[in-house]
């Protein structure tokens, strides 16, 4: 099976290496693009993932083979916009979003009040609820999407975030209507995509369309 692993804000392809190593041992062929998700709005990055998707498709897929997508944090928003814009929807299998602020980030809203911050770190700008409300996401794609949220935090941001959260993203923000399945794990935003439990849940969803109970 083929899977594209998409990192989040202020990270690189190395941040998805632990998950890639796990899935490779389970006979997945993994692609980990290094995306400029720091100084650009997430939606302008979609074309780079589309180029990778096109290259994989043109290399050739086995009969019935599909390309799965897994994204951490902002990487999940890249996936959702890709599903809206791609010319290769028929080649996409299942998708898993991990700690993705689908309804916006309270921290991003706070950061936007710091003069000049979001003008430099434009990815943060695109995590604001107001920005996301103006992004067109196509939820009726026929693609099975699962989302995993964390509800554990060891960070000092807790007092700044209302509701259950992983230190950066609220659990309620990860969920959105149209998900095939939703899972909450006792992990932080920075560790959730490096944990074996998450790897196993991702594998289970990619293969069955449901998380482990």
């Amino acid at each position: 099976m083929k899977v594209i692993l998409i990192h989040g804000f202020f990270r690189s392809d190395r941040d998805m290496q632990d998950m890639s190593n796990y899935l490779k041992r389970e006979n997945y062929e993994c692609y980990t693009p290094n995306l400029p998700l720091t100084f650009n709005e997430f939606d302008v990055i979609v074309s780079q993932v589309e180029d990778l998707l096109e290259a994989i498709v043109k290399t050739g897929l086995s009969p019935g083979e599909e390309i799965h997508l897994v994204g951490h944090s902002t990487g999940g928003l890249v996936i959702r916009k890709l599903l809206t814009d791609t010319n290769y929807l028929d080649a996409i299998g299942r998708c898993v979003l991990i700690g993705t602020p689908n309804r916006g980030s309270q921290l991003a809203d706070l950061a936007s009040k710091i003069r000049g911050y979001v003008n430099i770190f434009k990815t943060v700008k695109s995590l604001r609820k107001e920005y996301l409300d103006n992004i067109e996401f196509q939820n009726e794609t026929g693609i099975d999407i699962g989302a995993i949220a964390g509800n554990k935090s060891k960070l000092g941001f807790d007092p700044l975030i209302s509701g259950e959260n992983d230190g950066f993203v609220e659990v309620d923000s990860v969920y959105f209507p149209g998900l095939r399945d939703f899972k909450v794990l006792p992990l932080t935003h920075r560790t959730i995509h490096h944990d074996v439990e998450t790897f196993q849940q991702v594998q289970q969803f990619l293969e069955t369309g449901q998380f482990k109970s």
Side-chain angles (χ1 to χ4, degrees), residues 1 8 21 38 44 50 99 104 122 127 140 146 153 166 172 175 196:
M1 284 198 246
N21 291 340
T38 299
V44 306
E50 174 80 347
K122 293 182 180 178
L127 301 181
E140 302 299 327
S153 175
D166 64 6
D172 287 347
Y175 178 84
V196 172

Side-chain angles (χ1 to χ4, degrees), residues 77 80 100-106 109 127-130 132-133 137 169-177:
L77 293 173
R80 291 189 64 200
T100 296
N102 290 296
R103 298 184 179 183
S105 163
Q106 292 180 33
D109 288 340
L127 301 181
R128 296 167 57 202
K129 184 180 186 303
E130 180 183 5
L132 288 170
D133 285 345
F137 290 118
V169 177
E170 313 87 74
V171 171
D172 287 347
S173 182
V174 178
Y175 178 84
F176 67 92

Side-chain angles (χ1 to χ4, degrees), residues 16-31:
M16 301 302 286
Q17 199 58 55
D18 289 342
M19 186 176 298
S20 176
N21 291 340
Y22 173 89
L23 291 174
K24 284 177 179 177
R25 290 194 294 269
E26 299 298 322
N27 298 314
Y28 282 79
E29 184 177 351
C30 298
Y31 300 83

Side-chain angles (χ1 to χ4, degrees), residues 90-108:
D90 290 343
I92 296 175
R94 296 187 173 106
C95 302
V96 180
L97 319 179
I98 304 168
T100 296
N102 290 296
R103 298 184 179 183
S105 163
Q106 292 180 33
L107 284 181

